[in-house]
Amino acid sequence: MAKLSAVAALLAALLLIDNATAYRRESGESCSEQLQQQQFLNHCQMHLRQQCQSGRFDRNTSDESQQFQLCCRQLKQTDRGCRCDGLNMMMRVLMREEKGQQQIQEMMQMAQNLPNQCNMKPRRCEMEMLSFRS
């Protein structure tokens, strides 16, 4: 019985190690390394800012379309398992830089759907509940 418990514990430990390194296996880089390479999704930040400033949530102008395409490229070059983490990190950066709570909420809603708009998975990212500073 003790041997069976030891084997079960070993298998559990191996599963934990496997899950902890899952993000590294796809590209050989950690999520933070990937996001650093993708400049912390700076094109996605610019795209969201443009959309909020213009008051439109489409991609009609050529400049907005170019930012959207660059954003999608950055997301695509980030492993699937890191995309939502990256978008959440991006939103934390935007919250420090932007003033209006309503604008931040609009950006969060748009950020949730960016993977779907870029036709990649996961289709939707849940945004962490971030507190707003005055």
Side-chain angles (χ1 to χ4, degrees):
M1 187 69 165
K3 287 183 181 180
L4 184 58
S5 295
V7 170
L10 179 61
L11 286 174
L14 289 173
L15 283 173
L16 285 173
I17 291 169
D18 185 51
N19 286 337
T21 59
Y23 291 148
R24 280 191 162 276
R25 281 187 287 153
E26 285 184 52
S27 70
E29 299 172 327
S30 70
C31 287
S32 60
E33 289 170 330
Q34 290 180 48
L35 293 169
Q36 214 169 10
Q37 278 188 336
Q38 297 310 316
Q39 300 167 341
F40 300 101
L41 304 177
N42 64 331
H43 290 292
C44 295
Q45 290 178 38
M46 289 187 273
H47 169 67
L48 294 179
R49 282 189 176 118
Q50 284 177 339
Q51 293 299 297
C52 282
Q53 287 171 355
S54 69
R56 293 190 316 265
F57 301 109
D58 55 19
R59 298 182 301 275
N60 286 339
T61 70
S62 63
D63 189 41
E64 289 172 351
S65 179
Q66 181 181 12
Q67 281 303 324
F68 174 72
Q69 294 301 321
L70 292 170
C71 169
C72 290
R73 186 175 304 144
Q74 284 181 322
L75 285 174
K76 186 175 185 173
Q77 292 175 351
T78 304
D79 287 344
R80 177 180 176 172
C82 295
R83 287 182 189 136
C84 291
D85 289 342
L87 289 170
N88 273 294
M89 183 183 295
M90 176 196 74
M91 285 308 304
R92 284 191 290 276
V93 169
L94 285 171
M95 283 189 69
R96 286 192 299 266
E97 297 172 357
E98 296 295 324
K99 303 291 184 229
Q101 182 174 346
Q102 174 146 0
Q103 190 173 14
I104 292 295
Q105 288 176 331
E106 289 173 2
M107 288 181 184
M108 283 181 76
Q109 290 173 350
M110 288 186 287
Q112 287 178 325
N113 296 314
L114 274 175
N116 187 46
Q117 290 176 338
C118 294
N119 198 29
M120 57 188 70
K121 293 184 181 181
R123 293 287 187 205
R124 181 176 166 87
C125 291
E126 291 304 316
M127 293 289 111
E128 295 171 1
M129 294 306 294
L130 304 168
S131 60
F132 292 97
R133 295 184 305 172
S134 329

